[in-house]
């Protein structure tokens, strides 16, 4: 594997899920694999889980870790041929190559701007790192995808749900702010690579990118969609159709105990209590969000192991 930009970077998705579970059982099995190798974690946006779990994953493999919050660095220029006499002090061409002088692998987080769909679909930041850095790049959530989260979600379902071909429902939830599509996009892609019966439920006007949901059942009636669910994955996203807009904050879409039924509750976190999901769900035994967050380490460790194996 050259880079981990998306789930399709993996040649064997289910094999990687199994590798993550194997690493969870024995986290230090490859503790020398990354000895004298360094990963730089570069953040254009905030993070709690991705930052700490990816650092932990790298350390479990014996790697050194450096973190750069881009807000503490120079303002970066992305344009070709720009006369840089305004606010930008350093071009992405130099910045990426310089970071690669210090790091064997670079992991990058750069969210969607949600203002300009075409621009977000260029994956400007992630692709600039892939184009210029010359070392393997890991996507820690880009404009369109969050493949470390998607892999984690598949790992968590395999670990906790023993039923053959469980019914998995991705249920939209209200939120006061416009959130990106990266997590639901990667969740849908992960579930398409897993033997589950996937249903997406969201209000009219909130269908995800049809190229991603192709072949998946979308039901705009949440009650109907949730019937007999084994796994309920709750997430807000802004409108794709009216790109980046918050068109609906209807609290009736919030997840409750009654709607959850006997299913387990998943969410990538962070989550707004009593907006996205009621306390009674999050605080119940049906919520697996902490196990899910814990599994971020082993999903990241599986990805880093595969990258280290391919770049020995
Ligand atoms: N789920 C997730 O990516 O969490 P952070 O934004 O805190 O990294």
């Amino acid at each position: 594997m050259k880079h981990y930009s998306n789930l399709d970077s993996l040649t064997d998705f289910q094999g990687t899920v199994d590798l993550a579970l194997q690493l969870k059982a024995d986290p230090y099995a490859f503790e020398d694999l990354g000895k004298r190798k360094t990963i730089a974690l570069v953040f254009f946006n905030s993070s709690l889980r991705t930052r700490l779990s990816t650092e932990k994953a790298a350390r479990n493999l014996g790697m050194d870790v450096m973190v750069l919050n881009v807000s503490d660095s120079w303002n970066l220029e992305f344009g070709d041929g720009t006369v840089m006499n305004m606010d930008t002090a350093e071009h992405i061409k130099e910045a990426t190559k310089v970071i690669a002088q210090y790091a064997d692998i670079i992991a990058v987080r750069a969210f969607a701007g949600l203002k300009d769909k075409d621009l977000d679909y260029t994956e400007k930041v992630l692709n600039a790192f892939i184009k210029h850095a010359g070392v393997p790049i890991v996507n820690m959530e880009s404009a369109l995808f969050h493949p470390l989260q998607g892999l984690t979600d598949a790992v968590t379902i395999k670990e906790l749900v023993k039923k053959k071909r469980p019914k998995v429902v991705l249920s939209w939830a209200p939120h006061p702010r416009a959130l990106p599509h990266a997590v639901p996009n990667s969740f849908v892609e992960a579930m398409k690579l897993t033997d589950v019966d996937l249903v997406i439920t969201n209000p009219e006007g909130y269908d995800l990118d049809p190229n991603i949901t192709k072949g998946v059942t979308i039901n705009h009636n949440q009650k109907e969609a949730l019937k007999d669910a084994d796994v309920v994955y709750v997430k807000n996203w802004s409108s794709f159709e009216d790109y980046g807009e918050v068109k609906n904050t209807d609290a009736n879409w919030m997840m409750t105990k009654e709607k959850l039924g006997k299913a387990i509750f998943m969410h990538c976190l962070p989550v707004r209590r009593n907006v996205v999901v009621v306390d009674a769900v999050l605080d119940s035994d049906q919520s697996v969000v902490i196990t899910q967050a814990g599994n971020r380490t082993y999903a990241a460790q599986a990805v880093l192991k595969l990258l280290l194996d391919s770049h020995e």
Side-chain angles (χ1 to χ4, degrees):
M1 180 166 64
K2 208 166 169 187
H3 304 286
Y4 186 63
S5 53
N6 196 5
L7 291 173
D8 61 15
S9 305
L10 299 169
T11 49
D12 178 4
F13 180 74
Q14 286 304 327
T16 312
V17 168
D18 290 340
L19 174 60
L21 289 169
Q22 184 192 325
L23 291 165
K24 184 168 186 175
D26 189 2
Y28 305 110
F30 303 97
E31 63 185 347
D32 292 328
L33 182 66
K35 201 173 165 189
R36 301 204 179 136
K37 303 248 175 173
T38 299
I39 184 168
L41 310 181
V42 180
F43 288 94
F44 287 74
N45 306 98
S46 307
S47 172
L48 188 159
R49 280 142 291 272
T50 305
R51 176 176 170 160
L52 296 179
S53 62
T54 310
E55 175 160 353
K56 175 79 177 140
R59 291 194 187 286
N60 286 355
L61 294 167
M63 299 186 81
D64 289 321
V65 182
M66 298 188 300
V67 178
L68 176 68
N69 294 315
V70 173
S71 59
D72 297 334
S73 182
W74 305 105
N75 272 350
L76 292 172
E77 176 61 49
F78 287 80
D80 268 334
T82 310
V83 178
M84 289 170 54
N85 59 357
M86 298 294 278
D87 293 337
T88 53
E90 177 155 25
H91 202 281
I92 192 71
K93 288 183 186 175
E94 283 79 52
T96 48
K97 289 184 174 77
V98 169
I99 297 168
Q101 296 297 303
Y102 316 132
D104 302 279
I105 296 175
I106 302 173
V108 188
R109 165 166 281 200
F111 289 171
L114 292 177
K115 300 272 183 267
D116 178 340
K117 187 192 284 185
D118 292 340
L119 179 65
D120 284 345
Y121 269 67
T122 66
E123 292 277 30
K124 181 178 81 169
V125 178
L126 180 71
N127 283 333
F129 275 81
I130 289 173
K131 184 172 178 187
H132 299 297
V135 297
I137 302 299
V138 175
N139 179 354
M140 294 196 295
E141 186 172 340
S142 64
L144 303 183
F145 297 108
H146 194 352
L148 289 174
Q149 184 68 56
L151 178 60
T152 299
D153 298 335
V155 168
T156 305
I157 289 171
K158 178 138 195 192
E159 180 185 25
L160 299 179
V161 183
K162 298 303 168 199
K163 183 177 174 181
K164 200 171 177 327
R165 201 171 162 76
K167 179 175 177 183
V168 175
V169 181
L170 170 61
S171 186
W172 181 91
H175 197 284
R177 296 185 57 197
L179 297 190
H181 306 110
V183 168
N185 283 349
S186 284
F187 183 70
V188 170
E189 295 219 319
M191 290 303 100
K192 283 167 92 171
L193 295 165
T194 305
D195 188 20
V196 299
D197 171 18
L198 176 63
V199 177
I200 305 173
T201 183
N202 54 258
E204 301 271 1
Y206 273 89
D207 288 0
L208 291 163
D209 181 343
N211 289 320
I212 289 167
T213 58
K214 199 172 171 192
V216 178
T217 304
I218 299 172
N219 188 339
H220 297 128
N221 182 323
Q222 190 190 34
K223 192 174 172 191
E224 262 178 38
L226 289 168
K227 194 169 179 298
D228 299 326
D230 299 295
V231 176
V232 174
Y233 195 106
V234 174
K235 184 74 185 84
N236 169 268
W237 58 88
S238 56
S239 176
F240 174 76
E241 191 178 296
D242 294 308
Y243 192 69
E245 283 186 25
V246 176
K247 298 167 59 172
N248 187 332
T249 52
D250 183 356
N252 287 316
W253 279 84
M254 179 168 55
M255 189 50 54
T256 63
K257 276 282 248 185
E258 188 191 5
K259 286 191 219 172
L260 185 63
K262 293 188 185 324
I264 59 167
F265 171 82
M266 296 181 71
H267 190 285
C268 63
L269 303 181
V271 68
R272 291 189 183 224
R273 282 176 173 256
N274 305 308
V275 174
V276 170
V277 52
V278 296
D279 284 340
V281 168
L282 267 178
D283 294 334
S284 76
D285 291 343
Q286 285 169 262
S287 171
V288 301
V289 296
I290 303 303
T291 301
Q292 190 182 349
N295 284 341
R296 289 292 307 271
T297 297
Y298 309 106
Q301 200 173 330
V303 167
L304 294 180
K305 181 185 179 314
L306 293 175
L307 283 173
L308 289 167
D309 285 344
S310 351
H311 293 84
E312 272 181 314

